[in-house]
């Protein structure tokens, strides 16, 4: 049985986050370092998590159509010896990931699966949360789409 649309979006996102950014601004290879779900403490760094937050539905532009807005969150963990270096590494990795997510606004999925990919992000020092020497990047991603079924 095929996966739901929301899970296909989540899985496609994981593939985009798990990119090799060695030649980008962060210089970090995230290959094989990203999971679906979320963790409190990363098992190693760099590390990433892609997690489903929620799904909202509204009336669509015409009778029998619905507008949906699934939201996802991405956590990125990087290490560096000083706070300025952690912030730089975290912001650069978030930027690389967003660039990879939005290079194809449909995440490489079949036509009509989603209408767009929109990202917002922040970077914080993990020391505030008991993760010494780790920068935490948080990206919220929305992927609006329309359908006749409401899902």
């Amino acid at each position: 049985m095929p996966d739901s649309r929301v899970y296909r979006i989540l899985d496609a996102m994981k593939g985009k986050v798990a990119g090799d950014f060695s030649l980008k601004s962060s210089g970090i290879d995230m290959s094989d370092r990203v999971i679906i779900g979320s963790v409190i403490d990363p098992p190693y760094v760099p590390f990433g998590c892609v997690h489903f937050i929620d799904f909202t539905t509204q009336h669509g532009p015409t009778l029998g159509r619905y507008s949906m807005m699934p939201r996802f969150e991405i956590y990125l963990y990087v290490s560096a010896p000083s706070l300025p270096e952690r912030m730089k590494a975290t912001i650069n990795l978030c930027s690389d990931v967003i660039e990879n997510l939005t290079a194809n606004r449909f995440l490489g999925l079949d036509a009509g699966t989603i209408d767009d990919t929109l990202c917002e992000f922040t970077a914080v020092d993990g020391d505030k949360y008991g993760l010494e020497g780790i920068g935490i990047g948080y990206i919220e991603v929305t992927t609006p789409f329309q359908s006749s079924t409401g899902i």
Side-chain angles (χ1 to χ4, degrees):
M1 180 164 267
D3 290 326
S4 68
R5 182 188 309 228
V6 173
Y7 190 83
R8 284 182 288 146
I9 296 167
L10 182 66
D11 195 46
M13 251 184 250
K14 177 189 175 221
K16 300 288 185 182
V17 175
D20 182 355
F21 306 110
S22 298
L23 301 177
K24 297 286 190 173
S25 62
S26 68
I28 297 174
D29 184 359
M30 292 296 290
S31 303
D32 300 318
R33 295 181 163 273
V34 179
I35 63 164
I36 291 177
S38 64
V39 298
I40 294 172
D41 290 321
Y44 46 81
V45 287
F47 185 75
C49 303
V50 180
H51 182 72
F52 172 70
I53 303 174
D54 65 11
F55 182 94
T56 58
T57 304
Q58 297 180 352
H59 296 287
T62 62
L63 186 63
R65 298 290 294 170
Y66 299 91
S67 295
M68 280 70 68
M69 182 75 73
R71 290 187 316 144
F72 305 88
E73 57 189 9
I74 299 168
Y75 290 96
L76 302 167
Y77 302 91
V78 298
S79 64
S82 70
L83 178 58
E85 290 174 287
R86 280 193 296 281
M87 287 299 92
K88 179 180 178 181
T90 306
I91 290 168
N92 284 341
L93 181 57
C94 286
S95 299
D96 289 346
V97 167
I98 291 170
E99 185 179 347
N100 212 27
L101 286 167
T102 59
N104 173 333
R105 302 297 289 258
F106 307 113
L107 298 174
L109 296 167
D110 294 336
T113 303
I114 62 173
D115 296 336
D116 204 354
T117 300
L118 307 168
C119 301
E120 299 177 29
F121 85 98
T122 190
V124 296
D125 184 28
D127 285 359
K128 289 182 176 180
Y129 305 100
L131 298 174
E132 289 188 36
I134 295 177
I136 304 169
Y138 174 81
I139 304 170
E140 185 174 304
V141 183
T142 55
T143 55
F145 64 89
Q146 296 181 32
S147 97
S148 60
T149 63
I151 189 80

